[in-house]
Amino acid sequence: MSLQKFVDASPYKWPYNGDMRKENTCIIVIDMQVDFCATGGYVDSMGYDISLTRAPIKPIQSVLQCMRKEGYHVLHTREGHRPDLSDCPPNKRWRSKQIGAEIGSAGPCGRILVQGEAGWEIIPELQPLEDEIVIDKPGKGSFVGTSLDLILRNKGITNLILAGVTTDVCVHTTMRNANDMGYECLLLEDCCAATDPANHEAAISMIKKQGGVFGSVTSSEKLIQALSSD
């Protein structure tokens, strides 16, 4: 029987059973795209401060370097819609129009949140390696309308480490869904961000309630320390 391995996390050491191995553990880097993290993208067009969504870049880079070196699974997600917008709900498109950044409309980085456009691409600082899977999703969560669950189960992955943007929307939705599906989830607090710091803090607080209702929370430093230990 292999030795147990834990990450120092709150409200409990993660994973709950100490079964953290490169074979069953994966990081999912969620939606670190030009549209969410760069000048001229969707978030910038809505008038939000992109320095907030760019803050996780360096911590994520450090985690990826460590996890790749240690042989752990790495996945990425991208949110975007078909060019004909046939997979974009009308109410989602309507809401984006109200705030001045209509999905599918032309912007500085191409058509907003449309597959194949410059804004849809993952930022250069966090480009996936050639053998790393990218999950293209039409909504907030990473499971709905995608093959993510099938991929994870085929690979024997049970532990999910979550990073990316935004903490309160796409990351939280993915974490909640994953928890309901039986995955053991860990959110990296400094590797996530929201367009409002208060939303980020609230999302973190929610995870820690009820003994870790959706999983546990830690920092990139504590994860790297655990991954690098014998």
Side-chain angles (χ1 to χ4, degrees):
M1 182 177 178
S2 61
L3 295 175
Q4 290 185 320
K5 193 169 190 176
F6 293 97
V7 180
D8 181 13
S10 176
Y12 64 87
K13 293 190 299 181
W14 186 92
Y16 78 100
N17 58 3
D19 184 17
M20 182 176 71
R21 296 171 283 111
K22 63 183 180 181
E23 294 86 3
N24 72 344
T25 303
C26 173
I27 185 170
I28 303 180
V29 183
I30 298 173
D31 298 359
M32 292 299 290
Q33 300 162 249
V34 171
D35 265 331
F36 297 113
C37 306
T39 302
Y42 182 46
V43 167
D44 188 37
S45 297
M46 288 189 287
Y48 292 113
D49 180 3
I50 61 169
S51 69
L52 296 172
T53 55
R54 291 187 63 80
I57 293 174
K58 287 187 177 180
I60 293 174
Q61 286 177 324
S62 297
V63 169
L64 289 179
Q65 181 179 17
C66 178
M67 294 194 74
R68 287 164 173 163
K69 178 182 176 182
E70 299 295 330
Y72 284 80
H73 298 281
V74 177
L75 274 73
H76 307 258
T77 74
R78 284 183 299 213
E79 181 179 348
H81 296 283
R82 296 167 57 92
D84 63 2
L85 303 184
S86 58
D87 61 351
C88 180
N91 58 346
K92 180 180 181 181
R93 187 178 181 186
W94 179 87
R95 288 192 296 262
S96 67
K97 185 176 181 179
Q98 306 315 301
I99 201 168
E102 182 179 2
I103 294 171
S105 65
C109 299
R111 296 176 66 205
I112 293 173
L113 278 187
V114 170
Q115 295 174 3
E117 300 288 340
W120 170 75
E121 298 291 351
I122 293 170
I123 57 174
E125 297 94 328
L126 296 173
Q127 277 294 302
L129 299 184
E130 188 174 349
D131 61 345
E132 293 173 354
I133 293 172
V134 179
I135 299 293
D136 287 316
K137 61 189 184 71
K140 307 299 187 289
S142 300
F143 289 95
V144 174
T146 77
S147 56
L148 176 58
D149 182 54
L150 181 60
I151 290 170
L152 294 175
R153 296 193 190 279
N154 281 345
K155 290 181 175 291
I157 295 168
T158 57
N159 300 327
L160 301 184
I161 299 168
L162 302 172
V165 295
T166 59
T167 321
D168 53 327
V169 184
C170 295
V171 177
H172 228 258
T173 302
T174 298
M175 188 173 195
R176 287 170 179 246
N177 290 343
N179 174 71
D180 281 348
M181 297 167 77
Y183 292 101
E184 171 69 345
C185 297
L186 179 69
L187 186 140
L188 302 180
E189 187 171 6
D190 58 330
C191 292
C192 298
T195 54
D196 182 337
N199 288 355
H200 173 80
E201 294 300 326
I204 297 298
S205 177
M206 290 176 193
I207 295 167
K208 296 180 180 181
K209 295 294 188 290
Q210 302 176 40
V213 66
F214 304 125
S216 204
V217 179
T218 193
S219 66
S220 59
E221 181 180 1
K222 289 179 179 178
L223 174 65
I224 291 171
Q225 183 178 18
L227 293 175
S228 304
S229 64
D230 295 329

